[in-house]
Amino acid sequence: MARLPRVAFLFLGETLLIPHLYPIVEALAAQGGELRIECWVATSVHQGLIADWLAEAGLGDVVRIRHAPGYRDLPALKHGENPPLPSKLPTLLRLLPHLFGARVVVCAEQTSLWLPMLFPFLRMRFVKTSHGVGSMSARDDRRRRAAWRLLVPSDAEKATYRARGLPDERLVVTGYVKAGFRALAHPRRLFADDRPVIVYAPHWQRHRSSWWSWGPQIVAMLAAQDGFNVILAPHQRLVEKDPHVRDVLAGVAGLPHVHTDLDSFAMVDGSYMAAADLYLGDTSSQVVEFLIRPRPCVFLNAQGVDWRATEDHGFWQCGQVVDGLDDLPAALGRAFAEQSRYEAAQRGFAAEVLGDASPQATVRAAAAVWAAAGG
């Protein structure tokens, strides 16, 4: 009797990748028992989250969770905190023999694509799903060309890869897979009153971020005002680039109108983007998720970029752009009154880059993996 095709999902990176990949596991497992599905995890944090969700979905006996080489058991981290990871390349090289016999390997980040890039003779098919969308996406990374299939959210995103020479048959438009992620942390009521909520979400890369130039001043400004409640939940990798961010946020964490988070899973699952009424940021792709439901945005041009002359700041058309820190309070004050000026651009931008942002995106992604497995 022939063995069922084997599909391996790689959860080897930061927890921010999980909501882009896990929905495909669940959708594929729900189709029936004609595949052997396994999730390779790097830490006990990954394992705990995924095991709980599978159990809640009644799929705990359908999907096997396996420890990747170098697996780290971190019992002190119990709430989805971003864990310290084993070194990725050594992990991948040690994992490779365990992947022999898999029909398909599915990942959400470029690092795992070192395997098909370095070993093009491998028989398993690597399928990469997108994480992060919009004009800042690193589409030119040569590792992406090693994927057997790239799952992209929209026709516009597909066109960017086609322009880089990737053939149509390797590009599958699914819609935005993370939109089908159902296990949001839904943090408790954050504030005692119903003042509008600002989320400040600076990018983690210095050359793209407002944090290093303006961040501490913005935190102080938001802490001192009383017209808004404030969520301070930057990209989870910011703290690794500037550990001082912990001290800055700790200095305002006790204020009743300020909620800070640098560690929990709510930082990456979409909870804070859903809870906010106004987005304040620079170039993080989180704004695209925020704009699934159009709301006011204020963008911070801390680098003084001539953004209208570049191809990678297109989303700044979706809100006010602040070129000087002194102009920020006034921009925030008029953001709701001026929202009607930007709503059409916001809807158009979200539709263009996300494609279908319904749970059907996950169904299409699962169908693409099924097809890769020969189903």
Side-chain angles (χ1 to χ4, degrees):
M1 180 174 167
R3 300 192 72 186
L4 296 175
R6 179 174 155 222
V7 179
F9 287 83
L10 304 187
F11 292 90
L12 308 179
E14 295 81 4
T15 56
L16 66 88
L17 298 166
I18 294 175
H20 297 277
L21 186 58
Y22 173 77
I24 307 175
V25 175
E26 195 170 276
L28 197 64
Q31 292 184 6
E34 298 184 35
L35 294 172
R36 288 183 294 150
I37 302 172
E38 55 193 27
C39 295
W40 289 88
V41 298
T43 76
S44 56
V45 174
H46 296 75
Q47 179 171 352
L49 290 168
I50 293 169
D52 284 349
W53 301 331
L54 288 172
E56 290 168 7
L59 299 171
D61 295 329
V62 179
V63 179
R64 182 182 180 189
I65 298 177
R66 304 190 65 183
H67 293 177
Y71 172 89
R72 292 185 174 180
D73 188 15
L74 303 165
L77 303 183
K78 300 178 181 178
H79 305 291
E81 300 95 332
N82 194 37
L85 299 169
S87 297
K88 290 183 181 178
L89 283 177
T91 294
L92 283 168
L93 291 174
R94 293 169 62 195
L95 176 61
L96 181 56
H98 299 281
L99 298 178
F100 291 153
R103 186 78 58 85
V104 182
V105 178
V106 191
C107 62
E109 30 66 53
Q110 285 77 246
T111 307
S112 294
L113 295 179
W114 276 115
L115 291 179
M117 182 177 166
L118 294 175
F119 308 108
F121 53 82
L122 293 173
R123 297 184 63 182
M124 69 281 285
R125 295 169 170 177
F126 280 76
V127 174
K128 183 193 175 299
T129 188
S130 297
H131 79 271
V133 292
S135 50
M136 290 286 181
S137 183
R139 302 177 185 93
D140 292 313
D141 191 307
R142 60 195 178 116
R143 290 170 293 185
R144 297 191 183 208
R145 296 180 175 273
W148 190 78
R149 290 289 184 270
L150 287 176
L151 310 185
V152 297
S154 64
D155 288 324
E157 187 76 359
K158 179 178 180 178
T160 66
Y161 285 108
R162 188 190 295 123
R164 288 163 169 78
L166 271 75
D168 276 6
E169 62 269 18
R170 291 176 57 193
L171 302 165
V172 180
V173 176
T174 61
Y176 193 54
V177 168
K178 188 177 176 181
F181 183 69
R182 301 184 296 106
L184 270 66
H186 292 301
R188 57 177 173 74
R189 181 179 172 89
L190 300 177
F191 306 104
D193 58 61
D194 293 324
R195 281 179 289 184
V197 177
I198 293 178
V199 60
Y200 175 41
H203 200 282
W204 64 280
Q205 291 177 304
R206 188 166 189 152
H207 67 287
R208 294 178 172 176
S209 179
S210 59
W211 176 257
W212 280 267
S213 298
W214 294 352
Q217 299 96 306
I218 289 173
V219 169
M221 182 187 304
L222 294 174
Q225 59 78 46
D226 61 3
F228 298 94
N229 290 317
V230 180
I231 296 172
L232 300 174
H235 191 289
Q236 71 174 190
R237 296 195 66 185
L238 180 63
V239 71
E240 83 182 45
K241 298 297 182 181
D242 182 14
H244 181 56
V245 68
R246 287 198 181 275
D247 296 328
V248 174
L249 267 59
V252 300
L255 297 174
H257 70 293
V258 176
H259 176 79
T260 66
D261 192 349
L262 287 170
D263 297 297
S264 83
F265 193 68
M267 287 185 67
V268 300
D269 70 1
S271 292
Y272 293 137
M273 293 301 118
D277 302 297
L278 190 157
Y279 179 94
L280 176 63
D282 34 62
T283 62
S284 172
S285 64
Q286 289 186 86
V287 71
V288 185
E289 296 177 15
F290 181 84
L291 289 176
I292 290 175
R293 177 163 54 90
R295 286 160 287 171
C297 297
V298 176
F299 299 106
L300 300 163
N301 190 10
Q303 279 84 21
V305 174
D306 183 4
W307 61 274
R308 294 181 182 85
T310 70
E311 295 182 355
D312 55 5
H313 286 73
F315 50 92
W316 280 12
Q317 67 183 306
C318 296
Q320 299 175 79
V321 178
V322 173
D323 295 311
L325 195 52
D326 290 343
D327 300 326
L328 179 57
L332 295 177
R334 62 178 175 261
F336 290 96
E338 296 200 357
Q339 169 61 8
S340 60
R341 292 178 50 195
Y342 300 104
E343 187 157 337
Q346 291 176 355
R347 291 186 184 279
F349 177 76
E352 179 181 13
V353 301
L354 292 178
D356 180 14
S358 79
Q360 285 302 307
T362 299
V363 175
R364 294 188 197 96
V369 174
W370 181 276

